[in-house]
Amino acid sequence: MFNRVTSFCRKVLNRDNKTRDIDDLKLEVIPRQEHGISRKDISENALKVLYRLNKAGYEAYLVGGGVRDLLLNKQPKDFDIATNATPEDVRKLFRNCRLVGRRFRLAHILFGRDVIEVATFRGHHGGDKGAKFASQSNDGMLLRDNVYGTIDEDAERRDFTVNALYYNIDDFSVRDYAGGMDDLESGVIRLIGDPETRYREDPVRMLRAVRFAAKLDMKINEATAAPMPALAHLLRDIPAARLFEESLKLLQAGHGLATYQMLRDYNLFAPLFPILEEHFTEDRNSKCEQMLELVLRSTDARVEKEQRINPAFMYAAMLWYPLETRAEEIAFESGLSYYDAFMVAANDILDEQVKSIAIPRRFTAMIRDIWQLQLRLSRRSGNRAYKLLEQPKFRAAFDFLEMRGQIEGGQLKELANWWDTFQKSERDARHNMVQVLNKASNNKKVRRRKSKPRRKKPQSKQES
């Protein structure tokens, strides 16, 4: 993996059941000839930003996941940069820059759709400057943190050892502050500092630990993992908009199934989807849990094939069985028709879910369409089948019907097979399929109550 030799003694000290204490951080500079990062593998736009910052007299480093992935011979999704230039300094250097964030002030350099994120080195919270620019809740969560410092302080503020690696554009060396190179070689995700303190500062770090472990096929250090189940409830205090973005990174990045299973292991999934918790079983084999695994496995396969994915489909599948249960309860308690109860339940389920994960309206509208079409797909006689085929969300609804058929079997699977054949058939074959349904429907005799003969209306008083 690397072109350098790690000493035996250092590996022995790198025990899996320990954290990397901030006070024990020691810088190791790995020169260009001893690591495998090449500038040809770095985004051209990221290099432009690094070079301009460096030419203007500022320190400039590629940092975090970009360095980590390059060392693992993976293609980074993002190239983030750390510098001692303030966001305002960066904006002066780049006309295509915009400043974003309140909690963390960042500079985004825009190259069309490509965005290079530039962060100023973070400092410690203490002192007068910290009192002015850092803010924490009573539970220790960081609310605002625009405290600037040195690269050494920034490394101490990083969350995991494998993310505390800095590629220096000035001499092309890698600066390793926390033994991240060793942990990459050992396949370990390890938190820097006291885990409980770091999780209370930002509970999303628990989700990030799981995401990195699943994505990189690594294991989480024991001390890093230990506090997670007890602190999982802290995720309920995270803004729902932020958790929406995190849920996409967790479940739609190509490792969703492994991530979900690990989230369940550490009790981190229920705070994201509290509605699903009552459907969880010890053997993880309820219909809801089968659907979760099926839709995430399907999503992973589509990502691997570079096919289009839509969050609405995933959420629609994940929330379907809670919806069915709620609709049955409403129909029983209120006396409403199942269709009306279903529509009320759909609103209830989405209203509850967006409290924890703020699914945007453009997705909730599609979720409703997919759900509603599940009720209509069984009605195929006359011209209905042809009209349903023209619906914009038909394909997504059909794919979901197939998944339900795999789980429930029986008539639902037969219905999914019928629609599969109908889509693939020529016009005459489709016509014959519908005619068979029409004939079967007409052959069903409906028993009618015998009506009483009508009495004649009196024409006059004499007749009455």
Side-chain angles (χ1 to χ4, degrees), residues 164-423:
L165 297 165
Y166 297 73
Y167 175 77
N168 189 352
I169 197 62
D170 192 43
D171 60 7
F172 315 124
S173 65
V174 171
R175 299 167 72 97
D176 180 3
Y177 283 86
M181 297 286 266
D182 285 340
D183 283 342
L184 280 181
E185 287 183 333
S186 303
V188 174
I189 299 298
R190 187 192 312 272
L191 201 64
I192 299 173
D194 175 63
E196 182 168 346
T197 302
R198 301 309 302 275
Y199 292 148
R200 288 189 180 278
E201 286 179 351
D202 186 0
V204 171
R205 284 177 177 142
M206 294 184 282
L207 302 180
R208 285 167 58 81
V210 170
R211 176 158 62 88
F212 293 146
K215 173 186 176 181
L216 303 173
D217 193 22
M218 293 183 174
K219 60 182 178 179
I220 301 176
N221 160 262
E222 290 179 16
T224 297
M228 287 183 181
L231 298 179
H233 68 278
L234 296 176
L235 289 170
R236 301 183 190 275
D237 298 325
I238 299 298
R242 187 180 178 199
L243 287 184
F244 169 73
E245 297 298 332
E246 289 297 328
S247 73
L248 298 186
K249 295 176 185 177
L250 289 164
L251 304 176
Q252 292 208 304
H255 311 276
L257 181 58
T259 304
Y260 156 71
Q261 292 169 339
M262 201 176 297
L263 289 171
R264 287 287 302 273
D265 292 341
Y266 295 117
N267 297 337
L268 296 173
F269 193 77
L272 304 179
F273 297 93
I275 300 172
L276 302 182
E277 191 170 12
E278 63 185 58
H279 295 265
F280 290 166
T281 58
E282 192 171 332
D283 61 359
R284 300 187 184 183
N285 200 39
S286 68
K287 287 193 293 185
C288 180
E289 290 166 308
Q290 289 180 53
M291 179 59 77
L292 280 166
E293 294 202 8
L294 191 58
V295 71
L296 292 174
R297 188 179 290 111
S298 172
T299 301
D300 290 345
R302 292 183 68 86
V303 172
E304 186 176 1
K305 295 175 184 176
E306 297 184 351
Q307 294 177 325
R308 183 175 174 270
I309 55 175
N310 192 314
F313 183 87
M314 179 185 72
Y315 292 127
M318 294 172 74
L319 300 171
W320 171 256
Y321 287 108
L323 166 64
E324 271 199 334
T325 302
R326 183 71 58 87
E328 290 167 2
E329 291 172 353
I330 292 174
F332 178 77
E333 293 171 1
S334 67
L336 290 172
S337 68
Y338 183 77
Y339 180 84
D340 290 340
F342 183 90
M343 299 311 294
V344 172
N347 290 333
D348 286 354
I349 291 295
L350 288 174
D351 287 347
E352 287 183 33
Q353 182 56 57
V354 297
K355 291 177 183 176
S356 51
I357 292 180
I359 305 172
R361 289 184 181 180
R362 66 183 185 277
F363 294 137
T364 57
M366 183 175 178
I367 291 170
R368 285 189 176 90
D369 288 341
I370 293 172
W371 284 347
Q372 191 175 22
L373 282 170
Q374 300 307 299
L375 302 185
R376 297 177 59 189
L377 286 170
S378 60
R379 303 170 185 173
R380 298 160 287 164
S381 58
N383 292 324
R384 290 173 177 171
Y386 297 100
K387 289 180 179 179
L388 283 171
L389 206 59
E390 296 171 359
Q391 290 288 325
K393 303 299 184 296
F394 170 80
R395 184 66 207 187
F398 166 72
D399 289 344
F400 180 43
L401 178 68
E402 273 198 318
M403 288 184 176
R404 292 175 58 210
Q406 289 183 51
I407 293 170
E408 300 181 37
Q411 293 182 348
L412 204 60
K413 189 169 185 178
E414 291 176 7
L415 178 62
N417 290 339
W418 188 94
W419 276 110
D420 184 49
T421 304
F422 186 74
Q423 292 176 79

Side-chain angles (χ1 to χ4, degrees), residues 8 36 71 73 104 116 141 161-162 254 266 295 300 318 335 353-354 429 459:
F8 175 79
L71 288 168
N73 296 320
F104 297 115
I116 304 299
M141 187 188 302
T161 60
V162 295
Y266 295 117
V295 71
D300 290 345
M318 294 172 74
Q353 182 56 57
V354 297
Q459 299 294 321

Side-chain angles (χ1 to χ4, degrees), residues 127-147:
D128 295 337
K129 191 174 183 181
K132 182 177 180 182
F133 293 97
S135 175
Q136 289 179 283
S137 69
N138 294 332
D139 292 328
M141 187 188 302
L142 286 172
L143 304 177
R144 192 171 302 158
D145 189 23
N146 293 311
V147 183

Side-chain angles (χ1 to χ4, degrees), residues 103-152:
R103 182 171 175 268
F104 297 115
R105 196 72 165 156
L106 299 168
H108 281 180
I109 316 298
L110 310 177
F111 297 90
R113 292 187 177 182
D114 188 17
V115 179
I116 304 299
E117 185 173 281
V118 180
T120 305
F121 296 144
R122 301 291 174 192
H124 295 303
H125 303 151
D128 295 337
K129 191 174 183 181
K132 182 177 180 182
F133 293 97
S135 175
Q136 289 179 283
S137 69
N138 294 332
D139 292 328
M141 187 188 302
L142 286 172
L143 304 177
R144 192 171 302 158
D145 189 23
N146 293 311
V147 183
Y148 305 137
T150 64
I151 184 174
D152 299 64

